[in-house]
Amino acid sequence: MQHRGRFITLEGGEGVGKSTNLVMVADYLEARGLEVVRTREPGGTPRAEAIRGLLLDPASEEPLDDDAELLLVFAARAQHLARVVRPALERGAWVVCDRFTDATFAYQGGGRGLDKTRISELEAFVQRGLSPDLTLLLDMPMAASQQRLEGRLDRDQSQRDRFEQERGDFFEAVRDAYLERAEAAPHRLHIINADQPLEAVQNDLRAVLERRLEEWA
Ligand code: Z5A
């Protein structure tokens, strides 16, 4: 697809610093005079946020089927692409998004063990060739990111969202799937060591952005 803006995504497991660093990335681009749309998945529009609610709702009286989860993720994505991402890119804005389809390969593919070919088929159907220009994968060992989230995860098990309720091996599989994605597409996906002080993480992010901006100039 032809577009003038650029599409940048932040990825990684729970608590690795995606939301924190999205602000830095967007501020960095805005400081260069670019229009930036900050958004997230699942979500980014009122209807897609409603789907996010369904995905995260821990209500245990009706467990969510894995295939239904996958389709909901892509339903939210279709709405987000139609209402926010494509219009922004088409008018020349840059889009910085907290999670996108790499998360589907990691969580539904790696974590749930769903067929990755099926995920690729849905990706092609929903995205019609649109994919991120750059993905910043914040990577760190699960134990360290869990520590950062300690306060949040201290809550009673029943207060956690559906993903927070998963066990350690689920998150290990998510991390492995992310790293596999990075290995398969090293030009698009940059691994950033997230297990460092924030200033060091942000220096690494700025270095990648600087190189990319030069390349795209
Ligand atoms: N999901 C899916 O299954 N399939 C899909 O296709 C998509 C999503 C798109 C919601 O995502 C769930 O949706 C997600 C997967 C699923 N569930 N999980 N897990 P989410 O992005 O909203 O969920 P999250 O990963 O749990 O977000 P988060 O907890 O907000 O994490 P974060 O954004 O990566 O971290 P943060 O909020 O920026 O930082 C966490 C804390 O660490 C915070 O106190 C910071 O101040 C601190 N921090 C950040 N960086 C540092 C450094 N460098 N040092 C020390 N402390 C730091």
Side-chain angles (χ1 to χ4, degrees):
M1 178 202 159
Q2 291 297 312
H3 58 76
R4 289 170 296 144
R6 296 278 175 184
F7 186 19
I8 298 178
T9 56
L10 285 101
E11 293 280 1
E14 236 197 338
V16 295
K18 297 176 300 299
S19 322
T20 306
N21 289 301
L22 184 141
V23 174
M24 181 247 122
V25 169
D27 288 351
Y28 176 95
L29 297 171
E30 279 172 357
R32 275 148 192 78
L34 297 163
E35 182 198 347
V36 178
V37 173
R38 303 165 191 230
T39 188
R40 70 170 181 180
E41 287 212 350
T45 83
R47 283 190 197 279
E49 289 288 332
I51 297 174
R52 178 189 178 91
L54 290 175
L55 284 161
L56 299 188
D57 183 355
S60 53
E61 58 276 12
E62 185 190 353
L64 185 59
D65 176 75
D66 288 351
D67 286 347
E69 177 181 284
L70 175 65
L71 292 168
L72 284 172
V73 163
F74 273 108
R77 183 159 299 138
Q79 186 70 8
H80 184 219
L81 284 170
R83 306 290 305 176
V84 174
V85 179
R86 288 186 200 279
L89 294 174
E90 279 160 15
R91 70 170 185 269
W94 289 45
V95 175
V96 183
C97 187
D98 189 338
R99 295 190 186 280
F100 193 62
T101 308
D102 291 302
T104 315
F105 282 95
Y107 283 80
Q108 282 64 50
R112 303 275 186 236
L114 296 184
D115 182 0
K116 291 185 183 163
T117 310
R118 184 66 53 80
I119 299 175
S120 299
E121 286 165 3
L122 288 167
E123 178 185 32
F125 171 62
V126 168
Q127 293 170 220
R128 302 194 302 275
L130 176 65
S131 64
D133 297 292
L134 170 66
T135 298
L136 302 160
L137 172 59
L138 295 162
D139 177 63
M140 66 193 287
M142 196 193 75
S145 57
Q146 297 284 80
Q147 244 178 6
R148 280 189 192 164
L149 294 175
E150 225 163 40
R152 213 167 79 185
L153 299 180
D154 277 350
R155 279 175 294 153
D156 191 70
Q157 175 79 359
S158 63
Q159 304 282 301
R160 298 180 180 188
D161 74 37
R162 282 182 59 254
F163 292 97
E164 288 171 347
Q165 291 184 353
E166 289 298 335
R167 294 193 322 269
D169 53 353
F170 176 90
F171 293 108
E172 294 294 359
V174 166
R175 185 180 182 207
D176 290 349
Y178 267 131
L179 292 173
E180 212 176 275
R181 301 276 298 161
E183 206 177 316
H187 186 67
R188 174 176 69 82
L189 252 143
H190 284 260
I191 301 175
I192 305 286
N193 174 12
D195 194 12
Q196 331 176 57
L198 187 58
E199 200 186 331
V201 173
Q202 298 198 332
N203 284 339
D204 290 355
L205 286 167
R206 268 190 290 271
V208 172
L209 289 169
E210 209 168 293
R211 278 205 306 278
R212 273 316 172 87
L213 286 177
E214 266 173 33
E215 201 182 301
W216 289 334

